Amino acid sequence: PFPMFVDKSQFTVLKLYRDCLRLADYISTRGGGNASSRVVLRAQVREAFKKNRDEQDPAEVEKQKDAAIRGLSNYMFYEAQRMAGEEDGGANEKDG
């Protein structure tokens, strides 16, 4: 759902909020997650956005958007690495 390399100017705050909620839904359903984990993750996303909703400084808004985009990108990178490891049978995983 998220391109690996994104032009951050395409992200409006509302779109970013919705993408974060979708990611929370996705994460909560992985590994047999339940409805309560979905509620908790979505509440965390809402709280983070609520905390900054009255921010008027454009530089601070951009800083917060960058942090959210970075979080989404980091998660997508993590998922890509995890899926690649599953596809090759874990051949790229370090012995531990």
Side-chain angles (χ1 to χ4, degrees), residues 78-96:
Y78 164 79
E79 275 295 298
Q81 293 291 339
R82 186 186 64 78
M83 291 172 74
E86 287 177 1
E87 288 176 4
D88 67 12
N92 291 334
E93 292 180 13
K94 294 182 180 181
D95 295 331

Side-chain angles (χ1 to χ4, degrees), residues 30-67:
R30 288 189 54 233
N34 56 35
S36 65
S37 65
R38 178 180 184 263
V39 170
V40 169
L41 286 171
R42 288 177 67 91
Q44 289 175 340
V45 168
R46 280 192 197 100
E47 187 59 35
F49 276 83
K50 264 187 195 178
K51 178 181 166 191
N52 296 300
R53 74 175 166 207
D54 295 324
E55 184 60 59
Q56 298 295 318
D57 179 14
E60 187 61 29
V61 170
E62 279 304 309
K63 181 178 164 187
Q64 295 300 324
K65 283 173 60 178
D66 287 347

